[in-house]
Amino acid sequence: MRIDILSLFPGIPAAALSESIMKRAQEKGLVEIHSHNLRTWATDKHHVTDDAPYGGSPGMVLKCEPIFAAVEQLKAERRESSGGATGAAPKVVLMTPAGQPLTHALATSYARESHLIILCGHYEGVDQRVIDHLVDAEVSIGDYVLTNGAIAAAVVVDAVVRLIPGVLGDADSAAADSFSHGLLEHPHYTRPVEFRGWRVPDILLSGNHAAIAAWRHEQALAKTRRVRPDLLGSGGTEA
Ligand code: 6GU
């Protein structure tokens, strides 16, 4: 998979994605991530990427021209490097608090793409013609506002890349995650068996795998009921 990120702060996602598992995924050739500065595609002398909104209102709006130029160039380069093959079209995603929420299901669908182009919003937003004629999906990472979408882009890329086969060492570790089964994860313990008087639950020391599995499911259900009852609504796993 190839991922291109376009923002005014390319160092933000580049830093977040250059360590640990994201770093190893790139070294293993499982994903190629490029973080670009949108200003590269602003052709005027001062490399202006934003302007005041028509109709008036505070703040600035990202302009059409540099964004269209960047995305069209990235798409063309990708076509050329694949020998003009008519592979799957790149998916163009705009990071914005006004987008659909990022979920495990959305990350799973993006993990099957061969090319993602992620645009990071900033200031008051981007010109609507970018959304209407260039973008395939608008995505938000939650109901709060960040100063810029570059942080959100790093979140999306991490959530997607860890689902690419081979990225996580243990093939099971993504499958057991919170959300992949609609429940939050059960508690985990490791040595020592007693710390400051707090003991590891006896069941985990019992060697009874069926009982342990049942306990973990109960714990996951109880935690989900307590902190995320919304997950147990229609479609939940509770009988
Ligand atoms: Cl994608 N961008 C910004 N600026 N704020 C956000 C967000 C995105 N998702 C949640 N808050």
Side-chain angles (χ1 to χ4, degrees), residues 11 34 47 57 137 168 171 191 193 205 212:
H34 299 272
H47 296 280
S57 72
L168 296 184
R191 280 180 284 252
V193 75
L205 312 173
I212 291 170

Side-chain angles (χ1 to χ4, degrees), residues 95-97 139-142 144-149 152:
M95 299 311 309
T96 165
V139 174
S140 161
I141 63 165
Y144 42 80
V145 179
L146 303 168
T147 55
N148 72 78

Side-chain angles (χ1 to χ4, degrees), residues 93-107 109-110 137-144 155-156 228:
V93 177
L94 173 67
M95 299 311 309
T96 165
Q100 67 178 106
L102 176 65
T103 60
H104 184 74
L106 191 63
S109 83
Y110 287 172
E138 298 172 82
V139 174
S140 161
I141 63 165
D143 292 341
Y144 42 80
V155 170
V156 169
R228 291 294 305 278

Side-chain angles (χ1 to χ4, degrees), residues 103-104 178-185 220-221 223-238:
T103 60
H104 184 74
S178 287
F179 301 111
S180 56
H181 297 305
L183 293 179
L184 302 184
E185 260 196 286
L221 206 51
K223 170 132 196 220
T224 308
R225 215 179 270 127
R226 193 163 71 246
V227 308
R228 291 294 305 278
D230 56 300
L231 295 177
L232 296 173
S234 58
T237 56
E238 194 170 25

Side-chain angles (χ1 to χ4, degrees), residues 37-187:
N37 195 328
L38 195 53
R39 281 180 181 276
T40 308
W41 285 275
T43 52
D44 62 296
K45 193 169 92 189
H46 299 291
H47 296 280
V48 172
T49 52
D50 63 321
D51 206 339
Y54 279 117
S57 72
M60 300 288 269
V61 173
L62 287 178
K63 292 163 65 62
C64 286
E65 299 99 313
I67 298 177
F68 273 83
V71 170
E72 283 163 2
Q73 185 185 323
L74 292 170
K75 284 182 174 178
E77 280 174 8
R78 177 79 167 163
R79 266 198 306 275
E80 281 159 27
S81 72
S82 61
T86 50
K91 174 100 31 197
V92 181
V93 177
L94 173 67
M95 299 311 309
T96 165
Q100 67 178 106
L102 176 65
T103 60
H104 184 74
L106 191 63
T108 303
S109 83
Y110 287 172
R112 297 193 190 105
E113 296 286 338
S114 63
H115 189 192
L116 288 178
I117 298 176
I118 303 181
L119 300 172
C120 302
H122 191 54
Y123 308 114
E124 294 313 298
V126 308
D127 190 295
Q128 183 63 31
R129 290 165 290 191
V130 169
I131 296 165
D132 291 344
H133 305 293
L134 193 65
V135 158
D136 297 305
E138 298 172 82
V139 174
S140 161
I141 63 165
D143 292 341
Y144 42 80
V145 179
L146 303 168
T147 55
N148 72 78
I151 294 169
V155 170
V156 169
V157 172
D158 187 287
V160 169
V161 169
R162 67 187 288 286
L163 297 174
I164 297 172
V167 168
L168 296 184
D170 178 351
D172 289 337
S173 51
D177 282 346
S178 287
F179 301 111
S180 56
H181 297 305
L183 293 179
L184 302 184
E185 260 196 286
H186 59 75

Side-chain angles (χ1 to χ4, degrees), residues 200-223:
V200 173
D202 284 335
I203 184 92
L204 296 177
L205 312 173
S206 69
N208 182 340
H209 297 296
I212 291 170
W215 179 85
R216 284 177 168 163
H217 182 71
E218 247 166 58
Q219 293 284 316
L221 206 51
K223 170 132 196 220

